[in-house]
Amino acid sequence: MKEENEKDVPWICDKCKEKLVLKKVKVSYLAGNFEVELMKCPRCNHVFIGEDLALGKMLEVEKGLEDK
Ligand SMILES: [Zn+2]
């Protein structure tokens, strides 16, 4: 645990000040459905999607499927 990158920093819900938990959530992207892990507030159930996740990871997921 010497390096702490951004992924290890806990996210906090702005409303509840609760620590977000990683939950598997089904998302639809283009023509497919994917199950991805997203940060979710355990109290208000709000799902947080970072910009990089929405734009980057989804594209990565799609690309990964096409490659196989
Ligand atoms: Zn919340």
Side-chain angles (χ1 to χ4, degrees), residues 13 15-16 41 43-44:
C13 178
K15 264 189 277 175
C16 324
C41 173
R43 194 178 287 185
C44 68

Side-chain angles (χ1 to χ4, degrees), residues 13-29:
C13 178
D14 276 343
K15 264 189 277 175
C16 324
K17 306 295 176 200
E18 285 280 336
K19 218 187 261 184
L20 303 184
V21 293
L22 211 51
K23 281 268 179 188
K24 280 209 170 159
V25 179
K26 277 188 186 155
V27 294
S28 300
Y29 182 71

Side-chain angles (χ1 to χ4, degrees), residues 7 9-27 36-55 57-58:
K7 280 173 192 167
V9 177
W11 288 21
I12 306 291
C13 178
D14 276 343
K15 264 189 277 175
C16 324
K17 306 295 176 200
E18 285 280 336
K19 218 187 261 184
L20 303 184
V21 293
L22 211 51
K23 281 268 179 188
K24 280 209 170 159
V25 179
K26 277 188 186 155
V27 294
V36 292
E37 286 192 322
L38 293 176
M39 300 305 288
K40 194 174 177 185
C41 173
R43 194 178 287 185
C44 68
N45 278 332
H46 186 83
V47 174
F48 290 77
I49 304 175
E51 243 177 75
D52 60 324
L53 184 71
L55 299 175
K57 276 267 169 78
M58 293 309 209

